[in-house]
Amino acid sequence: MTERFDCHHCNESLYGKKYILKEDNPHCVACFEELYANTCEECGTPIGCDCKDLSYKDRHWHEGCFHCSRCGSSLVDKPFAAKEEQLLCTDCYSNEYSSKCQECKKTIMPGTRKMEYKGSSWHETCFTCQRCQQPIGTKSFIPKENQNFCVPCYEKQYALQCVQCKKPITTGGVTYREQPWHKECFVCTACKKQLSGQRFTARDEFPYCLTCFCDLYAKKCAGCTNPISGLGGTKYISFEERQWHNDCFNCKKCSLSLVGRGFLTERDDILCPDCGKDI
């Protein structure tokens, strides 16, 4: 007696028929497709054993149903993108969802490198300096009036030139007598200390820190011999080509302040009227 060879599900004989093994159990084609075939996402019918089953993220399609949801072109063996569960060819995806280049207005294709700045996008080769037309890439740039410049071109075209070193001023800077200076170039004529943010004065249009100006040009107090700067409202007394700080203009003998008072002189000394009685 011949051993039986039947479908595991319907028990129909499989002799002389096509069958499929599932977990080592034979199934006729009809039972296998009913029990195990995937349903096509596009047409809703089972994907039979004689059809190619294309899958993407647990979804399945007949080979003939696997096409772009916009233009209908086949996606078999072609790159594609998914948007809101719809499959799109790269052209349709780019036209509908990809950024447009700010310069050439063409689509920036998925996977290509793009440059972005303040919500706008460019092809890498379109993001160029307005002056030299060279691609900026990842280098520093400076925007001006809706145009982008590489740093060297911006400095040549727009940056102020320091009156001292003649080089461009790209950040900060100091204006003195309506002329631009780098902060590090605006220094005391004598000691070369930076004057930016410091009190200073000038002589013959040359800037000096207060210390150097007093040491070089200020008159010396006849009382304490220290410089009298005269800056910032400093008050002093002048008499016969001699000068005193207000606080130093005192009687030589009793130290009484003589500011606003009468006084007498004895050689280089000044005296109050009381101390000068015996002269």
Side-chain angles (χ1 to χ4, degrees), residues 180-192:
W181 306 63
H182 288 113
K183 288 183 178 181
E184 57 271 23
C185 293
F186 188 60
V187 297
C188 171
T189 303
C191 70
K192 307 306 179 185

Side-chain angles (χ1 to χ4, degrees), residues 189-210:
T189 303
C191 70
K192 307 306 179 185
K193 176 183 177 182
Q194 286 191 29
L195 297 177
S196 176
Q198 308 296 322
R199 293 181 64 199
F200 68 92
T201 187
R203 185 178 177 90
D204 299 328
E205 298 189 1
F206 293 103
Y208 292 87
C209 66
L210 297 188

